[in-house]
């Protein structure tokens, strides 16, 4: 079967001359959840914009086997839901309901389907009670979740998220994380650009390291222990993994590096028993 996302030799230069992507190549299987990591300016947002044809470039992007090009844009945009980092870029209607209903209406769904999808999307992001509010008057965290709802209402097969947890308080952050985990369980293919590396093991099976080109793509637990590679890009290891990598370097028998607090507690218990 065709991969969900296949990018071949993709390069992009902004009109001012900045080379943001330089020969990017990777492919993502259907149903996997991939975290996109890289320093500021690595081209993460630029890459994501290419996935539903918002920027034209050299090279090729294929979604579920179809090339992203002018003639296929309606097909592609029906399947790829892109949530921008800045929710202001996504919300433009006079009420939250209208914003979230906009996508499904645009896809030509029936009135009933539009209503079902809209109320479902508002509910899963926890904004059902706010449907009549003007998006402009929502708090930042609510706007972030509203932007997510405006994409989820189209039930995209491929969900592309640009920093979905940035600037959220801990509770909203947890809500977004558990929503991503739910969608992943339901089989949605998810690509998430994210800064907080501690969240990555919870939401992603694979990590794609980008620095204008692909530096690495592999299983989360293999990539996030490569200290030299990550530090070279100015990135951190998840705090727990970092601590246990240090213990391992110091000669302690750690086995598999823990990533969650439960795993860390079990590893500590084993160390103490020895
Ligand atoms: P990231 O999301 O990884 O932080 P971006 O994709 O936003 O990186 O940016 C990649 C590079 O492209 C950066 O050097 C940035 O300054 C540049 N860039 C981004 N948007 C524009 C733009 N509209 N015009 C010119 N340069 C841009
Ligand atoms: Mg960005």
């Amino acid at each position: 079967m065709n991969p969900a996302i296949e990018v071949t030799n993709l390069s992009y230069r902004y009109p001012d001359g900045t080379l943001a992507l330089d020969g990017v190549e990777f492919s993502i299987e259907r149903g996997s959840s991939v975290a996109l990591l890289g320093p500021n300016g690595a081209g993460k947002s630029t890459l994501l914009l290419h996935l539903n044809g918002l920027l034209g470039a050299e090279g090729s992007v294929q979604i579920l086997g179809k090339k992203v090009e002018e003639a296929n844009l309606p097909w592609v945009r029906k399947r790829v839901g892109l949530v921008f980092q800045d929710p202001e870029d996504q919300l433009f209607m006079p009420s939250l309901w209208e914003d979230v209903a906009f996508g499904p209406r645009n896809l030509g769904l029936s009135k009933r389907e539009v209503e079902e999808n809209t109320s479902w999307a508002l509910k899963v992001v926890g904004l059902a009670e706010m449907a009549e509010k003007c998006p402009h008057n929502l708090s930042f965290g609510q706007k972030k979740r509203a932007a997510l709802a405006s994409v989820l209402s189209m039930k995209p097969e491929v969900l592309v998220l640009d920093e979905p947890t940035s600037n959220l308080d801990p509770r909203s952050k947890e809500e977004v994380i558990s929503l991503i985990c739910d969608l992943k369980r339901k089989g949605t293919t998810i690509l998430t650009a994210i800064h907080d590396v501690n969240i990555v093991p919870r939401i992603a099976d694979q990590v794609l390291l980008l620095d204008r080109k692909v530096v690495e793509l592999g299983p989360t637990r293999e990539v996030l222990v490569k200290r030299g590679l990550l530090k070279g890009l100015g990135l951190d290891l998840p705090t727990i993994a970092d601590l246990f990598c240090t213990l391992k370097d110091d000669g302690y028998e750690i086995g598999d590096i823990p990533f969650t607090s439960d795993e860390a507690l079990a590893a500590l218990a084993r160390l103490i028993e020895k």
Side-chain angles (χ1 to χ4, degrees):
M1 205 156 55
N2 293 312
I5 302 174
E6 186 157 38
V7 172
T8 319
N9 199 20
L10 184 73
S11 298
Y12 184 75
R13 197 182 282 281
Y14 280 101
D16 71 355
T18 309
L19 183 64
L21 300 174
D22 185 10
V24 172
E25 301 219 342
F26 65 92
S27 106
I28 293 179
E29 291 309 311
R30 292 179 196 222
S32 58
S33 176
V34 179
L36 175 59
L37 300 182
N40 285 327
K44 300 182 295 297
S45 297
T46 305
L47 172 63
L48 299 186
L49 292 173
H50 281 89
L51 300 181
N52 69 0
L54 288 171
L55 294 174
E58 276 174 49
S60 117
V61 177
Q62 294 203 16
I63 300 294
L64 303 159
K66 243 191 215 309
K67 191 163 189 258
V68 179
E69 59 189 4
E70 196 62 36
N72 292 333
L73 286 188
W75 189 95
V76 167
R77 290 189 182 153
K78 193 169 173 177
R79 283 156 185 89
V80 180
L82 171 56
V83 183
F84 299 118
Q85 177 170 4
D86 185 353
E88 305 279 354
D89 292 339
Q90 211 125 25
L91 305 167
F92 51 91
M93 299 295 275
S95 80
L96 181 54
W97 177 274
E98 291 299 313
D99 252 325
V100 179
F102 183 86
R105 263 187 204 136
N106 210 26
L107 294 178
L109 300 188
S110 72
K111 193 159 178 271
R112 211 197 63 202
E113 285 172 310
V114 170
E115 277 179 15
E116 277 174 8
N117 287 14
T118 304
S119 48
W120 170 79
L122 284 171
K123 188 161 158 260
V124 292
V125 303
L127 292 177
E129 261 85 84
M130 307 262 170
E132 296 315 317
K133 269 192 99 117
C134 171
H136 184 71
N137 296 329
L138 298 173
S139 74
F140 184 80
Q142 290 166 341
K143 280 182 189 167
K144 281 289 264 197
R145 284 183 283 139
L148 189 53
S150 74
V151 166
L152 291 180
S153 59
M154 291 180 276
K155 307 239 170 145
E157 281 171 63
V158 178
L159 184 63
V160 177
L161 307 168
D162 200 351
E163 310 278 356
T165 56
S166 63
N167 301 311
L168 293 184
D169 64 29
R171 187 192 290 163
S172 309
K173 203 174 269 191
E174 276 307 312
E175 284 167 3
V176 170
I177 293 169
S178 77
L179 181 55
I180 295 174
C181 294
D182 267 358
L183 295 163
K184 171 167 139 49
R185 267 195 297 278
K186 286 183 185 135
T188 309
T189 307
I190 308 173
L191 177 60
T192 312
I194 190 152
H195 259 109
D196 186 347
V197 74
N198 287 305
I199 294 174
V200 174
R202 297 177 57 195
I203 62 163
D205 332 304
Q206 293 206 299
V207 168
L208 173 60
L209 290 182
L210 186 77
D211 193 11
R212 263 196 260 167
K213 43 174 65 103
V214 174
V215 178
E216 185 97 354
L217 171 60
T220 303
R221 284 168 184 265
E222 288 173 25
V223 177
L224 291 187
V225 293
K226 296 190 176 178
R227 219 184 223 157
L229 188 68
L230 293 164
K231 298 279 176 205
L233 291 173
L235 301 174
D236 287 330
L237 272 65
T239 312
I240 291 176
D242 198 23
L243 177 68
F244 280 87
C245 283
T246 305
L247 288 170
K248 199 170 193 170
D249 289 348
D250 288 350
Y252 290 94
E253 272 180 48
I254 301 293
D256 290 340
I257 297 291
F259 280 88
T260 65
S261 13
D262 283 349
E263 290 167 8
L265 288 171
L268 285 176
R270 282 195 300 274
L271 271 185
I272 291 164
E273 269 168 31
K274 275 182 193 154

